[in-house]
Amino acid sequence: MAEDSPEDETLILRHLSRVGYDVQHERVETPSSLRDALRRNWDIILSDFAIGPHFTAPDALEIAREAGSDTPFIVLSGTIGEEAAVQAMKGGANDYVLKGNLARLQTAIERELRDAAARQERRRMREQLVVSDRLASIGMLAASVAHEINNPLTALVANLEFLSDRLDGFAGDDDGELADGVRDAMSATNHLRRIVGDLGVLSRPSTAPRPEAATVDIENVLETATRMAWHEVRLRARLTKEFAGVPPVEGDESRLAQVFLNLLVNAAQAIEPGASEENEIRVSTSMDRAGRVVVGVSDTGSGMAPDVRDRIFDAFYTTKPSGVGTGLGLAICHRIVTSLGGAIDVQSAVGAGTTFRVLLWPTRPLEAAG
Ligand SMILES: Nc1ncnc2c1ncn2[C@@H]1O[C@H](COP(=O)(O)OP(=O)(O)OP(=O)(O)O)[C@@H](O)[C@H]1O
Ligand SMILES: [Mg+2]
């Protein structure tokens, strides 16, 4: 409530409680106290027109919108001339009500709360669309890269095998140097093959009818994800794996690989490069008491303050410079995990690192026949 009169404050609160609202409020009368209050979440802002000698409703409105607040803003004034009212509405106020006609306030509040909820829902749907777009395009990109690399790779393997055969017993290679070279080339090529295979895992369309699609060896998926994240991790931390040999889970290999890849890249990005011996990223599997498979991804990185931690699963929330982060990684993780009936949670404190846990249900054992 942006209001300079304690009497009007009482009057308004009394009216609101009479019509059935249970109000928690804060009264502010300066720009700085308004900014302060806007750090918290409010359902509605009620503003006097002339809050103070140099502070009016349009000023308050500007401050609210600058702070990124989409909270409905209702001008509630004793005397508001036609012109002032128009000015306030033009500035983006949602409504104005005269203090002498408080009966109208309830209708205004109810309508504004409804509209705000609808706006919120539309925003959520838009975000979801973008998230699924990004999922689809990552998949398509990975699939086409994998496809393009596969053909030359096949030729490479065939030719190296041919060379290797010919070198067997080749007199010009009595110290075996040529054979060694070819062997190294073959092992590098096999490494490439694994990487391309991993890309395939990422991009396999999750809707493709695969009979085994519902059963995933999660530790296998973690091997793939850690291999793919290795170039991010290498210079920043040691990578430790602690696998308990957990049962297969219900899920989708390619989408789960995306989840853990996102978590591992985030973990790496939370650690400054250069002290890889002092830092650790730990990937573990275990079972919880409810019978769920628990995958832990911990890092010794920067950790998060509570206000950051509260928003990390929101689409587009990022603390990274643009170009580094889009803020979609965890929104995607959250969507994938919950769509599988699982859960994802986080523990973190500034300076104490971060642990994400992904909880998934094992595939139900088949009922014994008979
Ligand atoms: N392991 C972590 N340690 C510290 N902060 C983290 C960690 N994981 C996530 N965060 C915080 O959560 C924010 C959101 O993460 P998210 O993965 O959704 O987006 P991003 O990494 O910023 O961008 P994108 O993943 O789209 O490239 C990050 O910007 C960062 O502030
Ligand atoms: Mg990320």
Side-chain angles (χ1 to χ4, degrees):
M1 190 185 293
E3 170 67 73
D4 57 345
S5 149
E7 292 78 27
D8 284 0
E9 173 189 23
T10 313
L11 189 83
I12 294 164
L13 288 178
R14 204 177 287 150
H15 174 79
L16 288 175
S17 97
R18 209 167 36 235
V19 298
Y21 285 113
D22 176 16
V23 181
Q24 295 194 15
H25 87 296
E26 186 175 324
R27 184 169 66 85
V28 297
E29 48 183 304
T30 62
S32 69
S33 55
L34 174 62
R35 274 192 202 97
D36 244 19
L38 284 169
R39 278 181 232 272
R40 293 180 296 285
N41 274 328
W42 302 97
D43 293 320
I44 209 122
I45 301 170
L46 299 179
S47 174
D48 195 5
F49 190 80
I51 309 159
H54 306 292
F55 190 29
T56 63
D59 301 333
L61 190 55
E62 202 179 313
I63 289 172
R65 298 306 179 233
E66 258 166 25
S69 159
D70 179 43
T71 309
F73 189 103
I74 298 177
V75 180
L76 187 54
S77 201
T79 49
I80 182 169
E82 190 89 354
E83 213 161 293
V86 169
Q87 189 195 343
M89 295 301 280
K90 269 194 182 151
N94 298 77
D95 205 349
Y96 68 92
V97 175
L98 291 177
K99 282 179 184 166
N101 185 14
L102 278 183
R104 224 178 68 71
L105 184 58
Q106 189 187 2
T107 343
I109 288 180
E110 255 153 41
R111 190 194 51 240
E112 291 312 326
L113 289 181
R114 236 183 359 254
D115 287 0
R119 276 199 301 278
Q120 169 98 27
E121 176 63 15
R122 273 200 299 278
R123 208 162 32 234
R124 205 184 54 79
M125 283 171 61
R126 251 198 319 271
E127 284 178 355
Q128 282 221 339
L129 269 181
V130 178
V131 170
S132 29
D133 257 14
R134 180 168 119 156
L135 269 176
S137 53
I138 292 171
M140 263 152 58
L141 186 68
S144 61
V145 170
H147 182 80
E148 289 303 308
I149 293 177
N150 238 333
N151 293 334
L153 207 52
T154 312
L156 195 56
V157 170
N159 280 302
L160 283 172
E161 272 167 5
F162 169 70
L163 262 183
S164 163
D165 282 353
R166 280 300 175 89
L167 277 175
D168 251 358
F170 172 55
D173 188 33
D174 33 7
D175 54 0
E177 242 185 323
L178 288 179
D180 279 353
V182 172
R183 220 181 351 266
D184 284 356
M186 277 176 86
S187 106
T189 310
N190 281 328
H191 188 62
L192 274 179
R193 257 189 166 164
R194 270 199 305 278
I195 294 175
V196 172
D198 288 343
L199 277 181
V201 167
L202 255 196
S203 60
R204 201 168 292 145
S206 51
T207 47
R210 283 183 302 135
E212 77 281 26
T215 300
V216 177
D217 176 347
I218 202 77
E219 288 166 3
N220 205 16
V221 170
L222 288 170
E223 293 289 359
T224 299
T226 48
R227 257 203 312 276
M228 296 184 79
W230 180 237
H231 66 287
E232 294 278 339
V233 172
R234 199 165 50 95
L235 298 174
R236 304 166 195 255
R238 284 172 290 123
L239 185 71
T240 342
K241 291 178 222 169
E242 217 166 83
F243 293 167
V246 293
V249 298
E250 275 180 43
D252 176 291
E253 209 176 41
S254 63
R255 312 192 89 205
L256 284 171
Q258 290 203 24
V259 169
F260 298 117
L261 185 57
N262 272 321
L263 294 181
L264 285 163
V265 170
N266 279 349
Q269 287 176 344
I271 299 171
E272 287 293 321
S276 62
E277 268 315 300
E278 282 97 88
N279 283 295
E280 184 181 24
I281 296 177
R282 171 188 296 266
V283 184
S284 66
T285 61
S286 58
M287 302 294 291
D288 76 354
R289 287 219 249 140
R292 288 178 298 187
V293 169
V294 184
V295 180
V297 179
S298 319
D299 65 70
T300 53
S302 59
M304 286 175 258
D307 60 317
V308 172
R309 195 193 50 218
D310 288 347
R311 303 187 52 193
I312 54 174
F313 294 111
D314 294 352
F316 301 116
Y317 178 77
T318 182
T319 58
K320 294 168 193 171
S322 72
V324 178
T326 52
L328 283 175
L330 288 174
I332 288 174
C333 289
H334 188 264
R335 238 188 42 146
I336 293 176
V337 172
T338 50
S339 76
L340 295 173
I344 179 167
D345 63 25
V346 62
Q347 264 191 327
S348 185
V350 173
T354 301
T355 298
F356 279 91
R357 289 191 323 158
V358 173
L359 303 117
L360 297 163
W361 291 105
T363 37
R364 257 168 277 291
L366 289 175
E367 297 290 334

